[in-house]
Amino acid sequence: MQDRPSIPIGCLYGIGLGPGDPELVTVKASRLLAKLPHLFAPKADQVSLSIAKSIAAHHVGANVQFHETVYPMTRDPNVLRDSWRKAAAPVVAVLERGQDAGFITLGDPMLYSTFSYLMRAVRELLPNARVEIVPAVMSFAASAALTEFVLGEQKTQLTVAPAPDTEAGMSALIAQGGRLVMMKVGSRLPQLVDWLRASGHLAQTRLVVRAGLSGQRVITDLSRCDELDKVGYLSTLLVDLEPGEAL
Amino acid sequence: MQDRPSIPIGCLYGIGLGPGDPELVTVKASRLLAKLPHLFAPKADQVSLSIAKSIAAHHVGANVQFHETVYPMTRDPNVLRDSWRKAAAPVVAVLERGQDAGFITLGDPMLYSTFSYLMRAVRELLPNARVEIVPAVMSFAASAALTEFVLGEQKTQLTVAPAPDTEAGMSALIAQGGRLVMMKVGSRLPQLVDWLRASGHLAQTRLVVRAGLSGQRVITDLSRCDELDKVGYLSTLLVDLEPGEAL
């Protein structure tokens, strides 16, 4: 009688889906989506979840199982840690059965994604977990492509940041020079536009809403744009802080 | 007898190839590479040119024609403008024959690529040129994936910059906080490492050389790394300026 052979644990893939267009998924992500039996998606909000699923749907196999991991909506570090362990448990269960699992995320898994939290929580529960991160097209790269906005040339610096909460925060970003990308714009857009007008940068600002998704809007003249308060969460502001420097 | 119908001009595609791994090309770039009859590649240096061609080779059609555009090696604005017009002329010739053309570039076409210069020069010669930019995985995203380096979380800012020339330049980048990515590291690596050691940030620094390419190296402890002067051009430094802030 033989011992039951130990099952090698599965691999957790952190898969970036890119900005929204299913064709802007990488060949590697498409291949993994087609073969992975279990895909986890963060249920941060219903909009992002349904977008991630609809992008992945162009690539997944027939027998894929989707799981939703609940994103903890608190800033208390202890509650967060517990919540992430709870979210990681079903992922760990799949890996321990020897199956691979994918965690899908809009954009890139290392930039403003919940994947880094999930990865840490999985490692806490399963220290020898194998993890592979599949990088992706960042959403601001799609916004830059649509507006022909040069993100960096020669010695120019690029700053990527969540939209600031205060005018002082905006001033600090502007002071850094180069090119500035502000993500997660959402309902604060009218306020951000006011600050950019006050600092004299509105003419060098582009706005892209839902790049590559249905309802995409590209706004190159924000001074003439109404209904700024109706722009959704998936919006990006691109500001050239040193116009006229290019060749 | 009929007039000869006018030929609609072709479309110029600026195609990002991503960081190096042919599987990290997007589905869209792969589709375009397979069908485009003419591909232009910048001959900035032989290394980048041959890498770009070898990535594209996994995707191109049988009858593709490769053209090399010579990158002007000067900072004189007038010489530069003339050189880019010269580089753009064969692209314009293809477009005027009604054929589409692709310009391939490592990484993303809008971040430290020569595509923006070529695009402007093509538009000067052919003002009604149609241009479509295909965004791509940025090389630093691949470096972050390999080192599990979180580029942004919550309110963290990400700064992307060419490696600075002076210690003052490095200090200014460090003062911005958040996460810092320095590209185009090359032969200045020993100097950069000295500055990072002096400012107390070496322990939070990762180095990735030739991410996704043959000869890839991932160095997570730069204090123990010798032969820093032999690291090549395609290297990226990733610095966490606020360690311990994460969950």
Side-chain angles (χ1 to χ4, degrees), chain A residues 16-116:
Chain A
L17 297 174
D21 179 346
E23 267 213 301
L24 290 180
V25 165
T26 63
V27 172
K28 182 170 188 172
S30 178
R31 173 176 63 77
L32 288 170
L33 290 170
K35 78 164 194 180
L36 287 172
H38 295 278
L39 291 180
F40 292 81
K43 196 178 167 179
D45 59 274
Q46 285 300 338
V47 177
S48 301
L49 175 67
S50 65
I51 294 172
K53 274 187 171 179
S54 70
I55 299 168
H58 287 82
H59 303 276
V60 293
N63 297 317
V64 67
Q65 258 191 277
F66 272 106
H67 309 258
E68 292 173 11
T69 61
V70 176
Y71 179 89
M73 284 306 194
T74 170
R75 291 191 165 249
D76 180 317
N78 292 321
V79 179
L80 266 177
R81 189 177 292 261
D82 279 355
S83 301
W84 276 115
R85 285 192 179 195
K86 237 173 255 174
V91 179
V92 168
V94 167
L95 300 178
E96 285 182 329
R97 289 203 304 272
Q99 291 191 294
D100 295 335
F103 183 87
I104 58 175
T105 182
L106 277 174
D108 181 271
M110 290 289 103
L111 187 69
Y112 308 127
S113 157
T114 55
F115 178 70
S116 53

Side-chain angles (χ1 to χ4, degrees), chain B residues 108-164:
Chain B
D108 180 273
M110 290 289 103
L111 187 68
Y112 308 128
S113 157
T114 55
F115 178 69
S116 53
Y117 302 104
L118 183 88
M119 176 175 69
R120 288 183 197 124
V122 165
R123 283 248 170 83
E124 278 181 24
L125 297 171
L126 191 66
N128 60 340
R130 289 184 298 137
V131 176
E132 183 174 341
I133 300 168
V134 183
V137 180
M138 292 170 178
S139 68
F140 70 82
S143 299
L146 282 167
T147 52
E148 299 186 359
F149 182 91
V150 180
L151 293 162
E153 276 178 322
Q154 308 283 355
K155 296 282 178 188
T156 330
Q157 146 179 350
L158 166 67
T159 305
V160 181

Side-chain angles (χ1 to χ4, degrees), chain A residues 140-155:
Chain A
F140 71 81
S143 299
L146 282 168
T147 51
E148 299 186 0
F149 182 92
V150 180
L151 293 162
E153 276 178 323
Q154 308 285 353
K155 297 282 177 188

Side-chain angles (χ1 to χ4, degrees), chain B residues 67-86:
Chain B
H67 310 258
E68 293 173 10
T69 61
V70 176
Y71 179 89
M73 286 305 194
T74 171
R75 292 191 163 249
D76 180 317
N78 292 321
V79 179
L80 267 178
R81 187 176 293 261
D82 279 355
S83 301
W84 277 115
R85 286 193 178 195
K86 236 174 255 175

